[in-house]
């Protein structure tokens, strides 16, 4: 199966039926395609087929500590005309990745994410609504002139720039399964709000989206709420918010009227001059916190809304899993050109979704939540099993391997989800590699 056929098959709804191998575990389909292509290898043609390059990019995310050549060897990826024992030249892998480009990886991630993040499991909904979260994350790229020019650097008040170019990613994540429905990737100079606005059409009906206070935007909120049926949002109040109390529903529950800024109305003339939002105020460690929402007072209790906002931290845990477990805290991406940086990012997000989706199905089979599975152990378990699958013979039974894989994942549940430690936030002193003398004298 060529990569074009593979991508086109995803667009058909029947390919996501229960009997589809692609639905159950996307890497298995790639592995089978790679093994089939290897069996058809010719002596003359030695270019690495695009099907295997796509699988190789995914493998780069699964085995971050290994060189790309070692990833190809582990996953039994070889050029046509070469046996699996013969290593592919590093230049050949680079040229093959350049031929593939970033667009196929982006399209494949977004299409599968749209289907996987909308899968419904028991215990996932909140009062009949799917729960999503939007937030941003930063990744470093190698320090080259081309990457510097394209992605840009962070700077502070002293005009000092960050040591590496920075890539900005804004993701839309299902807070229960932790599967990323969509993501927008761009340079550091692009703000998070425009990237978030580009994903609003992907949010399904009958849902609520949790946002950080930095995403406060009348245009974003109105577009989200009016772009579908029964789509809601929940966001903390900004400290400089100006409002008028229209109605008191109860203790800590009120209807506020807020003026839409002239700048926002100039950007979107369809915005009203003012808008009414519901404000829910509650206490956290003796301090008042207020969240604003579009949820109506008649259908949703204030105390439940206060508890719901805690789920916004689930997307932070997802970013932690990507950086800590998948990248092993090596947050500098390994590619050296702009297009390959994007290709690597889409491959990494797709690999993350594969692990999350397998964990979701394994948890659902045992009546558990996907968030109760240890991501790092599930990630390691799946990656090691994919190596075994890659070395398996083409005629081996894929369904049996999937059954064994999911059975093993079910043994990785957390015993009990511990509460977050209660520590005050502080700025820690940066560590230094050089020893500090005990007899050092501070100069005044």
């Amino acid at each position: 199966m060529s990569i074009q056929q593979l991508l086109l098959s995803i667009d058909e709804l029947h390919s996501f039926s229960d009997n589809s191998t692609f639905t159950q575990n996307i890497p298995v389909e790639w592995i089978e395609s790679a093994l089939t292509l290897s069996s058809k290898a010719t002596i003359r043609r030695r270019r690495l087929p695009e099907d295997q390059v796509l699988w190789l990019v995914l493998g780069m995310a699964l085995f971050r500590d290994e060189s790309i050549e070692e990833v190809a060897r582990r996953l039994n990826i070889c050029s046509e005309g070469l046996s699996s024992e013969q290593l592919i030249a590093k230049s050949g892998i680079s040229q093959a990745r350049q031929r593939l480009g970033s667009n196929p990886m982006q399209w494949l991630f977004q299409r599968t994410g749209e289907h996987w993040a909308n899968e419904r499991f028991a215990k996932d909904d909140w009062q009949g609504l799917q729960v999503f979260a939007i937030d941003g994350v930063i990744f470093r790229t190698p320090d080259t002139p081309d990457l510097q020019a394209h992605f840009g650097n962070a700077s502070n008040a002293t005009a000092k720039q960050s040591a590496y170019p920075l890539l900005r990613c804004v993701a839309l994540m299902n807070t229960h399964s932790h599967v990323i429905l969509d993501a927008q990737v761009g340079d550091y100079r692009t703000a998070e709000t425009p990237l978030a606005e580009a994903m609003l059409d992907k949010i399904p009906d009958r849902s609520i989206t949790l946002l950080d206070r930095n995403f406060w935007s009348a245009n974003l909120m109105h577009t989200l709420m009016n772009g579908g049926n029964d789509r809601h949002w929940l966001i903390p109040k900004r400290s400089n918010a100006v409002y008028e109390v229209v109605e008191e529903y109860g203790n800590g529950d009120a209807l506020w009227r807020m003026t839409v800024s002239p700048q926002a109305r100039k950007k979107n003339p369809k915005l009203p001059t003012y808008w009414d939002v519901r404000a829910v105020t509650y206490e956290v460690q003796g301090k008042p916190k207020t969240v604003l929402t579009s949820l109506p007072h008649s259908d949703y209790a204030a105390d439940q809304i206060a508890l719901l906002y805690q789920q916004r931290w689930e997307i932070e845990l997802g970013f932690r899993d990507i950086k800590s477990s998948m990248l092993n805290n090596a947050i500098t991406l390994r590619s050296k050109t702009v297009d390959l940086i994007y290709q690597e990012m889409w491959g990494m997000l797709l690999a993350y979704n594969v692990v999350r989706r397998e964990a979701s199905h394994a948890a659902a089979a045992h009546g558990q939540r996907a968030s109760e599975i240890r991501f790092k152990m599930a990630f390691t378990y799946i990656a090691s099993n994919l190596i075994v699958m890659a070395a398996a013979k083409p005629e081996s039974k894929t369904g049996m391997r999937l059954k064994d894989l999911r059975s093993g994942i079910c043994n990785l549940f957390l015993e009990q989800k511990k509460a977050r430690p209660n520590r005050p936030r502080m700025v820690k002193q940066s560590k230094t590699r050089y020893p500090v003398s005990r007899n050092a004298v501070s100069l005044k």
Side-chain angles (χ1 to χ4, degrees):
M1 179 184 292
S2 67
I3 185 174
Q4 290 83 2
Q5 294 172 325
L6 184 62
L7 296 180
L8 288 175
S9 67
I10 303 174
D11 198 28
E12 302 174 5
L13 292 178
H14 65 77
S15 67
F16 283 87
S17 64
D18 292 337
N19 296 326
S20 171
T21 300
F22 195 86
T23 302
Q24 296 178 37
N25 192 308
I26 182 172
V28 173
E29 180 68 22
W30 289 351
I31 292 171
E32 292 179 341
S33 298
L35 293 174
T36 302
L37 288 169
S38 297
S39 65
K40 296 179 180 178
T42 62
I43 298 177
R44 295 288 183 183
R45 186 168 176 258
R46 295 198 174 189
R47 290 178 59 179
L48 189 62
E50 289 180 329
D51 309 71
Q52 298 195 46
V53 181
L54 194 150
W55 173 218
L56 174 63
V57 173
L58 188 67
M60 290 169 52
L62 296 173
F63 306 101
R64 182 61 176 81
D65 291 339
E66 304 288 352
S67 66
I68 299 179
E69 306 89 84
E70 179 63 17
V71 173
R73 187 193 67 80
R74 281 179 175 269
L75 298 181
N76 197 19
I77 295 176
C78 61
S79 296
E80 295 189 34
L82 296 179
S83 65
S84 58
E85 288 79 14
Q86 294 177 282
L87 293 178
I88 306 171
K90 184 177 181 179
S91 60
I93 294 178
S94 178
Q95 293 171 7
R97 289 185 60 202
Q98 292 173 9
R99 289 194 300 269
L100 177 65
S102 61
N103 290 335
M105 297 301 304
Q106 179 181 0
W107 192 94
L108 189 58
F109 159 75
Q110 292 179 328
R111 182 54 56 90
T112 53
E114 184 176 357
H115 284 270
W116 293 350
N118 282 306
E119 291 179 328
R120 311 293 281 266
F121 299 98
K123 304 180 181 180
D124 277 3
D125 289 355
W126 180 83
Q127 300 191 23
L129 301 178
Q130 282 185 285
V131 184
F132 296 91
I134 292 179
D135 206 356
V137 64
I138 298 298
F139 294 91
R140 298 191 314 196
T141 74
D143 187 12
T144 68
D146 289 343
L147 297 180
Q148 285 273 6
H150 181 84
F151 292 108
N153 299 75
S155 58
N156 53 27
T158 60
K160 292 183 178 180
Q161 290 188 335
S162 57
Y164 292 86
L166 299 176
L167 174 148
R168 189 187 300 279
C169 174
V170 176
L172 172 63
M173 180 182 292
N174 185 311
T175 61
H176 292 280
S177 66
H178 287 195
V179 172
I180 299 176
L181 189 153
D182 194 14
Q184 293 293 317
V185 179
D187 60 80
Y188 183 78
R189 294 178 289 266
T190 303
E192 291 182 342
T193 300
L195 294 177
E197 291 175 345
M199 300 186 294
L200 296 182
D201 60 335
K202 297 292 186 67
I203 300 176
D205 296 337
R206 291 201 54 76
S207 64
I208 182 167
T209 303
L210 315 180
L211 304 110
D212 183 76
R213 70 180 74 249
N214 293 329
F215 288 95
W216 177 257
S217 165
N219 182 61
L220 188 150
M221 304 302 174
H222 278 80
T223 303
L224 191 160
M225 185 170 52
N226 300 325
N229 297 321
D230 207 11
R231 301 200 314 181
H232 299 281
W233 48 266
L234 181 61
I235 190 172
K237 178 185 75 71
R238 301 186 69 171
S239 58
N240 59 349
V242 179
Y243 59 90
E244 172 190 355
V245 179
V246 177
E247 183 180 355
E248 293 279 356
Y249 296 130
N251 186 22
D253 193 2
L255 182 67
W256 289 0
R257 177 159 295 174
M258 309 183 74
T259 302
V260 178
S261 68
Q263 296 82 358
R265 298 190 64 213
K266 183 178 180 180
K267 180 180 178 181
N268 184 0
K270 296 182 180 180
L271 292 176
T273 55
Y274 65 88
W275 53 324
D276 294 339
V277 301
R278 183 182 177 189
V280 175
T281 302
Y282 56 99
E283 286 191 358
V284 177
Q285 299 176 9
K287 297 181 179 180
K289 302 287 183 180
T290 300
V291 291
L292 307 179
T293 183
S294 61
L295 292 170
H297 164 72
S298 57
D299 299 329
Y300 302 95
D303 57 343
Q304 296 300 314
I305 293 175
L307 292 174
L308 173 64
Y309 188 73
Q310 297 178 12
Q311 291 190 27
R312 196 201 72 80
W313 293 105
E314 298 297 327
I315 192 171
E316 301 284 1
L317 298 179
F319 292 152
R320 180 203 63 183
D321 291 334
I322 292 175
K323 288 188 173 183
S324 177
S325 299
M326 296 185 63
L327 295 183
N328 199 20
N329 294 319
I331 58 176
T332 302
L333 303 178
R334 63 168 83 187
S335 301
K336 300 295 176 57
T337 66
V338 173
D339 195 43
L340 295 188
I341 284 288
Y342 284 113
Q343 181 192 85
E344 182 180 349
M345 271 296 304
W346 296 123
M348 180 174 63
L349 294 175
L350 179 56
Y352 168 83
N353 270 359
V354 168
V355 177
R356 278 298 184 190
R357 184 171 185 272
E358 280 304 311
S360 297
H361 278 271
H366 287 70
Q368 302 287 338
R369 294 180 181 271
S371 58
E372 295 174 347
I373 289 183
R374 302 180 181 91
F375 177 85
K376 186 171 184 178
M377 296 184 67
F379 166 76
T380 304
Y381 181 82
I382 290 176
S384 61
N385 273 271
L386 290 180
I387 297 178
V388 177
M389 292 180 186
K393 296 180 180 180
E395 61 271 15
S396 60
K397 296 181 179 180
T398 298
M400 186 62 68
R401 297 202 303 270
L402 281 173
K403 181 179 179 181
D404 293 340
L405 185 144
R406 288 183 178 172
S407 176
I409 295 176
C410 291
N411 297 322
L412 306 178
F413 287 110
L414 294 169
E415 289 81 6
Q416 185 177 1
K417 195 169 184 179
K418 298 181 180 179
R420 292 171 60 88
N422 182 15
R423 300 191 185 98
R425 300 183 67 175
M426 64 180 65
V427 178
K428 296 183 179 180
Q429 183 179 4
S430 60
K431 296 180 180 179
T432 175
R433 72 178 71 178
Y434 303 106
V436 178
S437 173
R438 295 183 177 178
N439 298 324
V441 179
S442 60
L443 300 177
K444 296 183 178 179

